[in-house]
Amino acid sequence: MSKPITIAIDIRDLQVAKTGTKTYLTELVKAFKQINDPQVRFLYLDTTIPVYTGTNKILTLIEHGRYQLWKQLALPFKAFFCGADIVFCTDNVVPLLQLGFKTVPVFHDAFFLKHRKIMAGCGYGYIKTLLYLLPENQHL
């Protein structure tokens, strides 16, 4: 019998999402928990630090930095040490640091790739940069 595939799901967003993203992630976790296949193992990765969801601008800015630390450092190392083969991220962003695992990003409301003027600020450039950095076989 071969080694099972280990799929890690970033569930940090369950602490902050309130609408469609939360529904999507909640339903995805429910569906994954129903899979009973010895060849697939699921891990649910979350931060141990509570996520700030208040309205204080300074604390919100600090939380944005903490999010990047989670996504770009803590999550990849956690996935690596858990033996993940795939890391599934449902919040538009995947770790750039991939320590032996592949990533699956989920882009919500990706219509802005065709309608740039709708995307405010540098968000469009950020997503385009992420798409550019993904290896060819991982593009949407």
Side-chain angles (χ1 to χ4, degrees), residues 2 9 13 17 20 29 40 53-54 57 61 63 67 70 72 74 80 91 100 109 113 124-125 129 140:
S2 62
I9 299 97
D13 226 26
V29 168
V40 181
T53 58
K57 290 181 182 183
L61 184 62
E63 184 55 44
Y67 166 77
W70 161 255
Q72 301 304 332
F80 173 75
D91 60 353
D109 300 325
L113 292 173
Y124 177 81
T129 301
L140 296 174

Side-chain angles (χ1 to χ4, degrees), residues 43-114:
L43 302 172
Y44 303 95
L45 303 181
D46 197 358
T47 179
T48 56
I49 302 168
V51 176
Y52 177 74
T53 58
T55 58
N56 181 290
K57 290 181 182 183
I58 300 294
L59 295 177
T60 300
L61 184 62
I62 291 169
E63 184 55 44
H64 284 296
R66 290 178 55 212
Y67 166 77
Q68 290 301 324
L69 287 172
W70 161 255
K71 189 61 83 169
Q72 301 304 332
L73 289 175
L75 177 61
F77 281 105
K78 224 175 195 183
F80 173 75
F81 288 117
C82 290
D85 298 303
I86 299 169
V87 175
F88 202 95
C89 299
T90 62
D91 60 353
N92 305 323
V93 180
V94 297
L96 294 176
L97 178 63
Q98 296 180 13
L99 303 171
F101 54 80
K102 297 204 181 278
T103 55
V104 177
V106 175
F107 294 97
H108 301 276
D109 300 325
F111 72 94
F112 64 83
L113 292 173
K114 289 187 178 181

Side-chain angles (χ1 to χ4, degrees), residues 103-105 107 113 127-140:
T103 55
V104 177
F107 294 97
L113 292 173
I127 296 296
K128 287 297 280 186
T129 301
L130 287 178
L131 288 173
Y132 176 77
L133 292 172
L134 290 173
E136 282 294 319
N137 62 350
Q138 290 187 356
H139 283 178
L140 296 174

